[in-house]
Amino acid sequence: MDSKTQEGIQWPVYVPQEKRTEDEAGIDAILSPEHSRPGYYTTLAPRSALEIAIDLAEKRGNDPINDEKVQEILGVIVKRFSPHYTWRDLNLIDSPRCAPLFMSGALARAFNATDQQLDSHAKKLREASQQRYWQGFSPSLPDTIPELLQECNNASVDRSDDRWVEMDEEKPMSLYKLPATEEDISNLEKRLDTTLPEDFKAFLRVSNGFGGIWNGYFPGPPLHPTEKIDWINPGEYELTFDQLTLPYEVMTHKDIETGKEDFIGSPVFEKVIELAIYTDEADEEAAQP
């Protein structure tokens, strides 16, 4: 796969090399409507387009804050924004070129966000971060899959009232779906041509799919039912591979005689199964087990 970096701009992989020009044509290629639908990992798109627009504005002697093209891109960011996709736009904050624009309040104004709203969001984020930092994860985990799902369901339904109101969505009464049948599970394994882990099959027997689990900040992606689980198509992702994070003991090899440790590194997977993804589509009706 071609490099995503060209003259300082990180280009989304879907932009062909011949269209990677740092001008308005390049911006149009980045923000092409065909790449705005959910499922594409277009994390670099807003950042790349905005960086080019800022550079063009400065070359013309314009203040980027008042530049028409910059404002147009901010409008695109607002239009494409989804509460389920907040992670997709986090790449923006890593850009030194965009930082002065954001610090000016231009993006907040594009969202029509008031100072009071920003202060309220900052307070909630700080409280959630402090709780996660000082308390960490739960010291004791449930022993069984049904108990784990019940805890996730209760925590998500009980603690996420404000977020559902903010997203203008009806709060789910349950994250559970109807259980998968043994035939559903068998057909899935045949279709994937693989054997699923026993704990995952135990999950499917309780709930064939699961609503977005509250992670302390927002709901996670809903887990797919058996009919939607499939191998990832790498052509739709900017990642060229996926890595599995393993414990340090597994990532190193220790020579018994010398005591020397060699770092093995994360295994690289050429095929990855998609179990969940953020989507703007309405979730299926939940069912209590």
Side-chain angles (χ1 to χ4, degrees), residues 261-281:
E261 292 185 348
D262 293 321
F263 183 72
I264 300 175
S266 298
V268 177
F269 299 90
E270 295 181 354
K271 297 182 67 178
V272 179
I273 294 176
E274 179 186 283
L275 300 179
I277 191 171
Y278 283 107
T279 175
D280 290 333
E281 298 177 0

Side-chain angles (χ1 to χ4, degrees), residues 184-232:
D184 291 332
I185 297 173
S186 176
N187 289 340
L188 174 60
E189 290 185 314
K190 291 177 181 177
R191 179 164 57 82
L192 298 178
D193 191 23
T194 191
T195 301
L196 297 171
E198 289 301 321
D199 56 355
F200 186 70
K201 288 192 283 189
F203 152 67
L204 292 174
R205 293 184 182 106
V206 176
S207 180
N208 189 9
F210 205 68
I213 300 171
W214 188 255
N215 64 14
Y217 304 100
F218 50 84
L223 297 176
H224 289 327
T226 53
E227 63 269 20
K228 290 187 177 181
I229 296 174
D230 206 348
W231 294 104
I232 283 179

Side-chain angles (χ1 to χ4, degrees), residues 76-281:
V76 171
I77 294 174
V78 172
K79 183 178 180 180
R80 293 186 180 181
F81 177 79
S82 166
H84 297 298
Y85 274 84
T86 51
W87 56 268
R88 184 179 62 186
D89 299 318
L90 292 180
N91 195 278
L92 285 167
I93 65 177
D94 292 332
S95 171
R97 297 292 294 118
C98 298
L101 182 71
F102 298 149
M103 292 176 66
S104 74
L107 185 59
R109 289 192 294 273
F111 274 99
N112 293 321
T114 65
D115 290 342
Q116 184 178 6
Q117 289 174 320
L118 293 176
D119 290 342
S120 176
H121 284 300
K123 180 181 178 181
K124 291 178 181 178
L125 178 60
R126 183 172 62 252
E127 291 174 350
S129 299
Q130 288 175 337
Q131 181 182 19
R132 179 68 60 86
Y133 180 81
W134 291 111
Q135 298 182 12
F137 295 101
S138 174
S140 59
L141 295 176
D143 295 326
T144 67
I145 293 296
E147 291 174 347
L148 175 62
L149 293 178
Q150 188 64 57
E151 183 169 308
C152 290
N153 178 78
N154 293 344
S156 300
V157 172
D158 293 343
R159 302 178 188 175
S160 55
D161 298 53
D162 292 342
R163 183 63 180 182
W164 291 108
V165 172
E166 180 181 322
M167 293 191 299
D168 195 26
E169 295 183 14
E170 184 177 351
K171 176 182 174 180
M173 300 305 295
S174 172
L175 303 185
Y176 286 96
K177 310 297 180 182
L178 294 173
T181 65
E182 292 302 321
E183 183 179 6
D184 291 332
I185 297 173
S186 176
N187 289 340
L188 174 60
E189 290 185 314
K190 291 177 181 177
R191 179 164 57 82
L192 298 178
D193 191 23
T194 191
T195 301
L196 297 171
E198 289 301 321
D199 56 355
F200 186 70
K201 288 192 283 189
F203 152 67
L204 292 174
R205 293 184 182 106
V206 176
S207 180
N208 189 9
F210 205 68
I213 300 171
W214 188 255
N215 64 14
Y217 304 100
F218 50 84
L223 297 176
H224 289 327
T226 53
E227 63 269 20
K228 290 187 177 181
I229 296 174
D230 206 348
W231 294 104
I232 283 179
N233 177 7
E236 293 189 354
Y237 292 80
E238 289 185 357
L239 298 177
T240 56
F241 60 85
D242 285 71
Q243 291 184 321
L244 177 65
T245 301
L246 299 174
Y248 174 79
E249 292 77 10
V250 180
M251 303 279 286
T252 56
H253 172 72
K254 186 173 183 178
D255 190 301
I256 299 178
E257 295 183 359
T258 64
K260 182 180 179 181
E261 292 185 348
D262 293 321
F263 183 72
I264 300 175
S266 298
V268 177
F269 299 90
E270 295 181 354
K271 297 182 67 178
V272 179
I273 294 176
E274 179 186 283
L275 300 179
I277 191 171
Y278 283 107
T279 175
D280 290 333
E281 298 177 0

